[in-house]
Amino acid sequence: TLLAAASMACAEFPEKPVTLVVPFAAGGPSDKIARDLAEALRKPLGQTVIVDNAAGAGGTIGSAKVARAAPDGYTLLVHHIGMATAPALYRKLGYKVPDDFETLGLINEAPSVLIGKPSLEARNFGELRQWIASNGGKVNLAHAGLGSASHLCGLMFQSALKTNMTPVPYKGTAPAMTDLIGGQVDLMCEQATNAVPQIEGKKVKVYGVTSLKRLPLPSLKDTATLSESGLKDFDVQVWHGLYAPKGTPPAVLAKLNSALRVALKDPELIKREEALGLTVVNDERLEPAGHRKFIEAEKTRWSKVIKDAGEYAD
Ligand code: MLT
């Protein structure tokens, strides 16, 4: 019968490669995290895990693609706070959050850093703040589309400074980083995942850490947090989670969640991620129910932040 066939399929899952959809361009922090995860999922799933970059519109194009995919466990989404912010920023969003997804578990938390093009004269946040005050609207602030982590951090930054800058959207922060290093844009609020190698390589200037705590990394341990530098309580952490389309069979979800748990215990993955300032999640948010509760709370929180910063939401 159909039921028997369905339960057979679950028992055999996965019997073909699993795809992780990344809703941003290759080379960015989301892509890096997804590729690390794909590598660590291969063993527990006993299958090839491939990454598909479906970029655009601040991550909503890739998210819609997964919301519409067959609910069979073979098409998953690696996303982040953009899941919680899109509902407040897009009137015609092609999916409901979290209703159109199954929350599989949270992966990690990433702090961001405020970085500038190499030719900026400002040597510290104080000097940068003065430069922004006298250049205001002309300052080009790069981000990865409405609702992306870089956009939201930039939004909170403009709101904290009460300054409207000129937003420059990209399909991901990898292409944005190329322009920042080249001097085509002035500033970006980028996840440490991608910023740390550029800071170590002295390709960009760093002006602050966006989490409340400093980062114990060699290249950032002396960098003050924005909160210490006068933007009191400025706190942006970018979490990443794993999602399946709604209606994916519970037996398949359970297999995927247990494979995620194994992957997040992989010492290689932990070492690589911690060296980039990431914290691998290992708490109740790794439970599908805990993750869903967290998404709902984040959706409420970010809609308020976006409303308060409304005039800067470009
Ligand atoms: C963002 O939200 O800024 C994206 O994660 C950047 C990216 O991954 O390209």
Side-chain angles (χ1 to χ4, degrees):
T1 66
L2 207 59
L3 202 65
S7 58
M8 262 298 284
C10 297
E12 301 307 311
F13 177 86
E15 50 195 350
K16 64 180 183 180
V18 173
T19 299
L20 300 186
V21 172
V22 172
F24 292 100
S30 306
D31 184 61
K32 163 122 193 68
I33 283 160
R35 287 178 199 280
D36 275 0
L37 184 65
E39 186 50 40
L41 281 170
R42 214 164 32 80
K43 239 193 337 277
L45 284 178
Q47 263 298 343
T48 318
V49 181
I50 51 181
V51 168
D52 163 26
N53 298 87
T60 56
I61 289 177
S63 303
K65 178 175 182 175
V66 174
R68 283 195 307 270
D72 56 13
Y74 289 105
T75 308
L76 306 178
L77 173 68
V78 172
H79 202 1
H80 56 32
I81 58 175
M83 276 299 257
T85 59
L89 284 164
Y90 292 83
R91 259 166 292 291
K92 287 192 308 304
L93 195 60
Y95 54 87
K96 287 189 295 305
V97 176
D99 315 50
D100 287 345
F101 297 92
E102 304 291 353
T103 48
L104 282 169
L106 221 61
I107 301 165
N108 61 33
E109 287 189 309
S112 286
V113 285
L114 181 65
I115 50 180
K117 65 184 180 184
S119 61
L120 277 186
E121 262 134 51
R123 286 161 304 176
N124 53 50
F125 183 72
E127 290 179 10
L128 180 77
R129 194 165 183 171
Q130 280 158 9
W131 178 76
I132 292 172
S134 45
N135 286 281
K138 292 197 299 293
V139 176
N140 289 331
L141 182 69
H143 63 67
L146 283 191
S148 66
S150 42
H151 167 250
L152 285 148
C153 183
L155 185 61
M156 290 176 72
F157 182 55
Q158 291 174 91
S159 170
L161 289 184
K162 302 233 171 311
T163 306
N164 265 311
M165 300 174 198
T166 301
V168 184
Y170 292 81
K171 286 193 178 307
T173 48
M177 184 69 85
T178 306
D179 278 4
L180 186 73
I181 291 168
Q184 279 74 31
V185 285
D186 300 317
L187 288 176
M188 175 158 67
C189 186
E190 168 60 313
Q191 295 168 58
T193 317
N194 254 39
V196 164
Q198 305 303 341
I199 294 166
E200 284 167 351
K202 307 225 177 309
K203 295 276 181 39
V204 294
K205 287 198 167 138
V206 57
Y207 291 106
V209 166
T210 68
S211 40
L212 286 175
K213 284 198 315 291
R214 291 194 181 197
L215 296 181
L217 302 177
S219 61
L220 282 165
K221 65 185 184 338
D222 302 327
T223 301
T225 66
L226 291 183
S227 182
E228 283 175 85
S229 306
L231 302 189
K232 202 159 160 9
D233 301 336
F234 193 96
D235 179 17
V236 173
Q237 287 267 11
V238 183
W239 44 262
H240 293 82
L242 190 61
Y243 306 88
K246 183 170 61 116
T248 305
V252 169
L253 294 176
K255 277 197 175 180
L256 288 167
N257 179 261
S258 65
L260 176 63
R261 288 172 188 285
V262 170
L264 295 185
K265 288 197 179 73
D266 179 322
E268 254 308 293
L269 176 127
I270 293 176
K271 196 160 61 75
R272 254 206 307 265
E273 301 223 333
E274 289 184 346
L276 293 168
L278 295 167
T279 309
V280 176
V281 158
N282 216 331
D283 57 31
E284 73 290 339
R285 294 170 299 171
L286 203 41
E287 296 288 340
H291 181 187
R292 188 178 182 91
K293 220 167 73 220
F294 177 68
I295 291 281
E296 281 161 352
E298 281 290 282
K299 191 175 138 189
T300 309
R301 176 169 87 91
W302 278 107
S303 338
K304 184 177 171 338
V305 166
I306 288 160
K307 208 161 84 280
D308 293 352
E311 54 178 312
Y312 304 98
D314 56 70

